[in-house]
Amino acid sequence: MSNVIANGSDRKKFKADKMDGAPSRVLHIRKLPSEVTETEVIALGLPFGKVTNILMLKGKNQAFLELASEEAAVTMVKYYTTVTPHLRNHPIYIQYSNHKELKTDSALNQRAQAVLQAVTAVQSASNSLSGSAVSESSMTSTQSPVLRIIIDNMYYPVTLDVLHQIFSKFGAVLKIITFTKNNQFQALLQYADPVNAQQAKLTLDGQNIYNACCTLRIDFSKLVNLNVKYNNDKSRDYTRPDLPAGDGQPSLDPAIAAAFAKESSLLGLPVAAVPGALSPLAMSSAAAGRVAIPGVHSGGSIVLLVSNLNDEMVTPQSLFTLFGVYGDVQRVKILYNKKDSALIQMADGNQAQLAMSHLNGQKMYGKIIRVTLSKHQAVQLPREGLDDQGLTKDFGNSPLHRFKKPGSKNFQNIFPPSATLHLSNIPSSISEEELRTLFSNSGGIVKAFKFFQDHKMALLQMGSVEEAIQALIELHNYNLGDNHHLRVSFSKSTI
């Protein structure tokens, strides 16, 4: 086993490293920009495992990085053969070293050792906080390769793949974890290099992904490494394609992933060639859920398959009302031979995506419903004169569509199902008591109520999200007299 002693005369040995050497846990990194720090080089290795040693050869723009195991080094080299690593915007080269171990016992390397110890101490301290989905190895936040992303005004779904597409423009994205916190979609995204994170933050913070919506709010995370346990539509480790999908969640179906990619490109993604600019949508009307390319749906399927429905309670009308919160439902068909399942055709792919992301896993009439994209292109109506017991209904000309008007305010009020409902179009003659009675008769408990100043709108809190869903289905468009039909939506506020 050859050891490397880091002193002046031994540096000549390093020329011996060849591109395709046998695997080793010591990696030789070449063509480093001269101002690169030890922290940045260590950060290259962190996503793949513990970094146990580092040696910087400043004069040669090279470094040696030792990982705890050969397996970690192999994963790292494999990953960086498919994605060119960049530090400070320069491509760098990583290969196995001929050396099997680094012995850096010289005073020359003290600074690098100090940095390594600091990073390792933080990493091991945080890794002992087991059970956390995120392994927290903190550095000063401005050096972190991890960004925390919050998306404001999310009127369209933003998927993990869309984030990957946008942020990849600034360097290799290694890992992404998405989650909802305080009713807001958030993500942690890890680059191979802190400088890429810095550039992405500078360029993208405050930008809209789509026209007039989905605003990116970006900060450095205190973490320098994300520990992703599962590859699915909530989290992904691009360095480890072998991870399980976990949690009984299917991994993202390749067909869906392809549909996302197609949809994103139609929506003006990816980032425009002009550095620092997200290309706005190619069409202004798309902000209203209409894509102005003739004959093209906005990518992805427009038909949803809903299963595990309560077959004794569900009707085409109840599905129209609930799914109509997230888009304009065109047709509903409850399956004749399988009455706990239904096909729902939306106006476009974005709306289908939005309804799926918000309603999959919610409870409707006591059962947790599953919502997936269907392979059907459209919902067929029964042939003339054929009685299908009212299981299929065409809502194409319904006056109750919420999103018909381009730029309608309703686009700004799309929220996940919540126990608090927003009521509007209330006539002045109706009291709080009457509304409380109306909603408690829908089969739930009214916990709180608050009129807005003008008395035309109110917030009403039910006992649970399930009760609120049921109340919305029963009472949206309820006639309160004087030709005032009550409008009910989910609210992001609480009372």
Side-chain angles (χ1 to χ4, degrees):
M1 181 178 280
S2 64
N3 296 337
V4 180
I5 307 296
N7 60 36
S9 61
D10 265 2
R11 298 189 175 202
K12 296 189 180 69
K13 281 189 184 177
F14 299 141
K15 281 194 171 156
D17 289 337
K18 298 282 184 291
M19 250 345 247
D20 48 2
S24 157
R25 68 192 183 103
V26 179
L27 299 175
H28 182 188
I29 304 170
R30 299 176 299 123
K31 300 241 170 131
L32 289 169
S34 41
E35 67 281 12
V36 153
T37 64
E38 287 87 352
T39 310
E40 289 169 78
V41 177
I42 292 168
L44 283 174
L46 279 180
F48 304 92
K50 190 176 176 197
V51 175
T52 47
N53 212 340
I54 181 172
L55 172 62
M56 300 283 281
L57 306 181
K58 290 272 189 187
K60 295 194 167 199
N61 297 64
Q62 296 181 13
F64 285 82
L65 197 65
E66 179 188 273
L67 280 86
S69 71
E70 193 174 287
E71 183 191 18
V74 170
T75 309
M76 180 168 164
V77 170
K78 266 194 189 145
Y79 177 72
Y80 286 127
T81 47
T82 57
V83 178
T84 307
H86 284 71
L87 280 181
R88 306 207 171 208
N89 240 8
H90 292 277
I92 57 168
Y93 299 90
I94 299 178
Q95 65 204 54
Y96 298 117
S97 166
N98 289 347
H99 309 292
K100 295 294 178 196
E101 167 177 17
L102 276 182
K103 278 239 173 72
T104 47
D105 49 6
S106 129
L108 290 172
N109 209 37
Q110 272 177 342
R111 177 186 146 80
Q113 291 303 304
V115 172
L116 186 64
Q117 275 166 2
V119 172
T120 313
V122 172
Q123 221 178 351
S124 49
S126 64
N127 281 349
S128 63
L129 304 166
S130 59
S132 156
V134 180
S135 95
E136 310 200 11
S137 6
S138 311
M139 283 192 213
T140 57
S141 56
T142 45
Q143 288 177 317
S144 171
V146 179
L147 294 175
R148 188 176 62 116
I149 302 156
I150 295 176
I151 298 184
D152 281 341
N153 308 326
M154 192 159 147
Y155 318 143
Y156 283 136
V158 172
T159 62
L160 187 140
D161 292 294
V162 166
L163 289 176
H164 185 255
Q165 205 176 355
I166 297 170
F167 283 83
S168 291
K169 296 287 156 200
F170 299 89
V173 173
L174 303 186
K175 302 170 182 182
I176 305 178
I177 295 173
T178 64
F179 52 97
T180 303
K181 190 174 174 185
N182 305 334
N183 252 353
Q184 260 188 325
F185 179 85
Q186 303 196 15
L188 291 167
L189 181 144
Q190 179 173 346
Y191 278 105
D193 179 356
V195 173
N196 299 141
Q198 206 157 7
Q199 283 182 318
K201 180 183 184 305
L202 281 172
T203 307
L204 297 175
D205 189 25
Q207 293 273 11
N208 292 338
I209 298 179
Y210 302 133
N211 230 6
C213 74
C214 302
T215 311
L216 293 162
R217 303 268 173 246
I218 304 171
D219 271 310
F220 288 105
S221 169
K222 292 194 173 64
L223 315 173
V224 293
N225 187 29
L226 301 178
N227 177 13
V228 176
K229 303 222 170 40
Y230 305 112
N231 281 341
N232 53 36
D233 54 358
K234 301 277 191 296
S235 63
R236 195 82 53 83
D237 183 338
Y238 295 93
T239 67
R240 299 200 46 204
D242 55 314
L243 285 177
D247 296 348
Q249 280 198 33
S251 258
L252 199 59
D253 179 298
I256 298 175
F260 279 149
K262 189 172 155 202
E263 180 170 329
S264 310
S265 61
L266 279 171
L267 284 169
L269 285 167
V271 180
V274 185
L278 276 186
S279 67
L281 288 177
M283 36 312 200
S284 59
S285 58
R290 299 281 183 274
V291 171
I293 302 173
V296 176
H297 285 302
S298 56
S301 171
I302 60 167
V303 179
L304 297 168
L305 171 63
V306 188
S307 53
N308 203 39
L309 290 162
N310 180 333
D311 53 6
E312 289 176 11
M313 305 275 290
V314 75
T315 61
Q317 184 64 47
S318 62
L319 290 169
F320 168 78
T321 305
L322 179 58
F323 281 74
V325 173
Y326 300 104
D328 292 339
V329 175
Q330 304 299 304
R331 291 175 179 178
V332 178
K333 180 192 280 287
I334 293 172
L335 303 186
Y336 189 81
N337 296 327
K338 199 173 181 333
K339 292 194 172 62
D340 69 348
S341 300
L343 293 170
I344 300 178
Q345 180 177 330
M346 306 297 285
D348 67 34
N350 292 313
Q351 295 181 3
Q353 207 60 66
L354 208 49
M356 178 172 80
S357 60
H358 284 313
L359 294 174
N360 181 39
Q362 295 289 350
K363 258 189 175 177
M364 179 181 182
Y365 298 132
K367 297 192 76 173
I368 292 176
I369 63 171
R370 291 276 156 245
V371 185
T372 56
L373 293 174
S374 163
K375 47 185 187 297
H376 292 281
Q377 294 305 302
V379 170
Q380 298 302 317
L381 293 175
R383 290 195 302 281
E384 280 294 313
L386 189 75
D387 174 26
D388 79 338
Q389 304 171 357
L391 295 176
T392 308
K393 203 153 186 264
D394 187 351
F395 294 98
N397 296 318
S398 169
L400 296 179
H401 286 154
R402 294 179 188 238
F403 306 102
K404 266 206 302 250
K405 282 194 199 123
S408 154
K409 263 221 178 95
N410 292 337
F411 282 100
Q412 297 167 32
N413 295 314
I414 295 175
F415 301 110
S418 57
T420 307
L421 296 168
H422 180 274
L423 317 182
S424 60
N425 206 26
I426 303 167
S428 50
S429 56
I430 294 284
S431 67
E432 171 178 336
E433 201 44 54
E434 287 169 293
L435 287 168
R436 279 178 174 267
T437 306
L438 184 65
F439 276 79
S440 49
N441 287 345
S442 72
I445 300 160
V446 176
K447 284 195 151 178
F449 182 93
K450 185 175 136 195
F451 264 123
F452 283 64
Q453 273 184 324
D454 63 2
H455 215 79
K456 288 178 188 159
M457 296 193 285
L459 291 177
L460 180 143
Q461 188 180 337
M462 299 297 289
S464 66
V465 175
E466 185 187 358
E467 286 179 14
I469 288 175
Q470 192 150 324
L472 182 142
I473 289 170
E474 284 189 32
L475 296 172
H476 177 62
N477 202 42
Y478 183 87
N479 190 348
L480 292 170
D482 305 338
N483 208 14
H484 278 73
H485 288 84
L486 182 66
R487 298 188 66 82
V488 184
S489 311
F490 297 115
S491 171
K492 66 169 181 197
S493 312
T494 48
I495 306 173

